[in-house]
Amino acid sequence: MKMTIRAAFLGLVFAVLVGTAAHAASDALKGMVYDTGPLKATDSKLKVRVGEQAPDFTLKSVSGKMVSLSEYKGKSNVVISFIPAAWTAVCSDQWPGYALAQDVFRKNEAVVLGISTDNVPSLYAWTSQMNGVWFPVLSDFWPHGDVARKYGVLRSDGTADRTILIVDKKGRVRYIGLHSINARPPLEEVIQELERIR
Amino acid sequence: MIGIGIGNSQYEVRLFREKYAPPFPLFDDRSSAVAGSLSGIYTPHHFGLKMEDSSIREIFYSESGVFPDAEAFLEMIAEESGIQRGGNS
């Protein structure tokens, strides 16, 4: 019986894994994702450089807790992930994808801080719909985009450019990846950089 | 059954394989070559394809969403595809 089905299924089904580029957010978000269409790839000018001390910040997380970058000093490497906007396709693919690598981040003594210029209720609803994410999600809504501006990743429309920074335990910026707003950065890029630091 | 990670790199698919050990082959598709012709796809998405030689003769099933019961899913696919379970076809 099983053999019959297996033979007939040759090349049969494809089950998609983590999701994707512009058109494959999780089914949990079906009908809820806003299609921005292609946007200007980047629209900001970095104000931080590799080797410098990372500007400290304190932002409210979706859990209601205030989170500061400086609280990780001497304890963990920090991956700061700025994303442009909740409820959009690429962003809805990027953060859930980090779930796959949670153990790898831990092995590399790194935490992730996700930052968006959306307000807390919007980020709460969005991440809840994605069944939550394992790292703190911080709102840079007010003063609007203040942290994104400090880092030089605030776009002219008030969203943040898709940027990944790695800050080491001494608080120094060790890596900056300014990515196109239209595509999800591959996971291995940040993992390789973390392994290099370790 | 095969699995394709749309938009996923080789590294990401390897990580997935190590973590979940699915009992079928997985392929990466970083450039979304497969999904390129499919707009508005949500994941996971399952296709049932009837093959003839190396070409797709018919797409008999195409739905997005997680299925809670693997056995029930296989039963349904068997029915949709016209396969008689336990038969010789």
Side-chain angles (χ1 to χ4, degrees):
Chain A
M1 181 175 74
K2 283 184 179 170
M3 285 306 291
T4 307
I5 290 177
R6 189 176 302 155
F9 277 14
L10 193 62
L12 175 72
V13 178
F14 88 75
V16 180
L17 311 181
V18 187
T20 175
H23 297 291
S26 161
D27 185 68
L29 294 172
K30 196 171 185 177
M32 300 176 186
V33 173
Y34 181 77
D35 183 5
T36 60
L39 300 171
K40 186 179 174 187
T42 59
D43 184 29
S44 59
K45 198 171 176 192
L46 279 169
K47 290 182 186 166
V48 290
R49 289 183 185 169
V50 170
E52 292 177 352
Q53 281 294 118
D56 193 24
F57 56 79
T58 301
L59 291 171
K60 193 172 184 178
S61 76
V62 295
S63 70
K65 190 185 158 207
M66 300 303 288
V67 174
S68 299
L69 175 65
S70 54
E71 67 192 68
Y72 296 97
K73 208 166 179 178
K75 297 176 188 163
S76 300
N77 298 310
V78 180
V79 175
I80 302 174
S81 169
F82 284 97
I83 53 121
W87 304 105
T88 56
V90 181
C91 302
S92 299
D93 187 29
Q94 183 175 343
W95 282 358
Y98 290 164
L100 193 60
Q102 187 175 359
D103 293 343
V104 185
F105 282 112
R106 192 181 295 127
K107 203 171 72 184
N108 286 287
E109 300 173 338
V111 296
V112 176
L113 297 179
I115 303 178
S116 162
T117 61
D118 293 284
N119 65 8
V120 168
S122 177
L123 285 171
Y124 174 81
W126 179 54
T127 52
S128 298
Q129 189 64 30
M130 296 190 295
N131 294 318
V133 292
W134 58 271
F135 51 86
V137 170
L138 312 178
S139 169
D140 189 21
F141 181 69
W142 204 257
H144 192 80
D146 197 39
V147 175
R149 185 181 293 107
K150 217 183 271 185
Y151 278 75
V153 299
L154 187 67
R155 292 173 67 96
S156 57
D157 65 357
T159 62
D161 260 327
R162 193 177 307 286
T163 315
I164 297 172
L165 297 102
I166 298 177
V167 178
D168 68 15
K169 292 179 186 175
K170 291 179 178 167
R172 283 176 311 177
V173 177
R174 298 292 297 269
Y175 165 79
I176 303 172
L178 178 59
H179 297 273
S180 165
I181 197 168
N182 301 308
R184 182 177 59 77
L187 200 51
E188 58 268 37
E189 193 177 300
V190 66
I191 300 298
Q192 280 164 5
E193 292 296 333
L194 279 173
E195 285 170 351
R196 196 167 298 155
I197 289 169
R198 202 164 69 120
Chain B
M1 182 179 273
I2 61 170
I4 300 175
I6 299 178
N8 291 121
S9 63
Q10 206 172 20
Y11 175 87
E12 289 163 350
V13 168
R14 183 164 58 80
L15 214 55
F16 187 96
R17 191 183 293 118
E18 286 169 2
K19 188 163 183 171
Y20 299 108
F24 48 82
L26 299 178
F27 300 91
D28 58 272
D29 184 26
R30 177 65 188 160
S31 61
S32 295
V34 172
S37 58
L38 308 163
S39 62
I41 193 171
Y42 289 85
T43 59
H45 191 105
H46 299 89
F47 287 95
L49 312 174
K50 285 186 180 173
M51 306 298 290
E52 193 166 275
D53 300 324
S54 54
S55 302
I56 298 168
R57 183 159 57 85
E58 183 193 340
I59 300 171
F60 67 87
Y61 181 82
S62 175
E63 292 288 337
S64 63
V66 176
F67 55 83
D69 182 337
E71 189 63 27
F73 177 75
L74 285 174
E75 290 278 2
M76 182 270 299
I77 286 288
E79 193 175 319
E80 294 273 332
S81 66
I83 298 167
Q84 296 299 309
R85 295 198 74 178
N88 297 319
S89 60

